[in-house]
Amino acid sequence: MKNKTPSATDLHMTPEEFRRQGYQIIDWIADYWGRVEEFPVLSQVAPNEVRSRLPPSPPSVGESLEDVVKDLENIILPGLTHWQSPNFFAYFPTSCSAPSVLGELLCAGLGVQGMLWVTSPACTELETHVLDWLVEMLDLPDKFKSTGTGGGVLQDYASSATLCALLAARERATEGRSNRAGYQDKLVAYCSTQTHSSIEKAVRITGLGSENLRLINVNDNFAMLPDALAAQIAKDRQDGLVPCFVCATIGTTSSLAVDPVSEIGRTCQREGVWLHVDAAMAGSAAVCPEYQYLHQGLEHADSYCFNPHKWLLVNHDCDCFYVADKTALTNALSILPEYLKNVATETGDVIDYRDWQIPLGRRFRSLKLWLTIRYYGIEGLQKHIRKHVSLTKLFVDLIEESNSFELAAPPFLNLVCFRHKGDNQTNERILDKVNQEGQIYLTHTKLNGRYVLRFCIGQIRTEEHHVRRAVDILEEAARC
Ligand SMILES: *Cc1c(COP(=O)(O)O)cnc(C)c1O
């Protein structure tokens, strides 16, 4: 069974063996993409079923990769929810284009640790360069370019970007004393009732405390009420507190609502409060000129992030995080121990991205972004976004024609919130039924206390017939 017998001379794979096995794995992935539609979208395994099929102990002698691939097929595949299925309409998607996967492979193969400029200059400079490209591609304000006081950095996820933004805001609000004990008791952060949970997580991690996070009310379209924000900030100041951070969202997770960034930004500027703008999902749409208006108001923002791994064809993890002025961020995060000192850092002419993120180490993440942008070009990326928007319009039309379903929030870009006209339980039952049957997968949210179904289109293999079939399946489930 084993064709690998480890010995002193063949402990590692030879280059020839790597080539052979590597091609096989690439073939396996290509085949997987070809047949992904055949599997139930939502994994059907019970808790612990995957583990029960794995050996209790690790092998004492090495095994062949062929054996591993067999287990991949028999044990792992059934335990997957198929995010790359054209019938995946749940949460927000994660894009996974072939060029980005190849970029990921290159990153792994080069095995570079890019914590400092000197530990691989190309790792830092390609990242800076591609992030500057994206400023142009999305029509972001020039202040986010590396050529001025600000710049961009790749984070793993938007949650990390938000945490870094809050750390920078805290540093600025306390004039550099943010890590002194007791100094931050009075700091207050603001977001809307619709803001992603990562804000509360960041508030907990930084020690501001959940009780110092104000959830501002929203309007009928689930966008933050800017007057309510201004009033809350004024009240907190009166109470002797220190407003320090506002997070506005372009495209909320529940319903893709867009906060009025311009008005929020004017308040933040007047009050000297840090404005972070989270466009994790919707930001990608701005590669199309017709959606660049979404970024109006960003001229007031201190930081901004979006996730190319959601809707811009880059496999996760890949979040682009920008600051208008890097001083507070790097002051908050830079500690230079003796063992990292080097001449390039001392000259001040280079970027050391370790000072822009939580961990020290970092991988060559920009490769996959670079390969993706070069392979598709701006026009290819625009086509991709527009196709999903037009498929979403088709879904909206079908829901509007339906006797059983109705829209539950204004549809936007590639997300539709809708519901069965019956009660919450009927909607829960329909969702459960279609997901358990496995032909499609969608998830839910609550809007104004109502149980609402979400349909998000973000898969590269989704075509018109998949959308039509999804509506047929929903109608069928509504009849039972
Ligand atoms: C998905 C999402 C997040 C969280 O993203 P991660 O990258 O998974 O941390 C944050 N904010 C918004 C608006 C999102 O849609």
Side-chain angles (χ1 to χ4, degrees), residues 92 157-159 196 198 249 251-253 278 280-281 307 309-310:
F92 280 148
Y157 289 90
S159 304
H196 191 266
S198 52
T249 308
T252 59
T253 313
D278 175 6
M281 171 73 195
N307 287 354
H309 71 231
K310 275 183 172 159

Side-chain angles (χ1 to χ4, degrees), residues 369-388:
L369 203 46
W370 190 48
L371 260 73
T372 303
I373 294 171
R374 291 188 65 177
Y375 181 84
Y376 287 94
I378 294 173
E379 287 180 12
L381 297 172
Q382 291 171 340
K383 246 190 208 161
H384 154 74
I385 296 285
R386 287 177 183 140
K387 177 172 173 187
H388 286 167

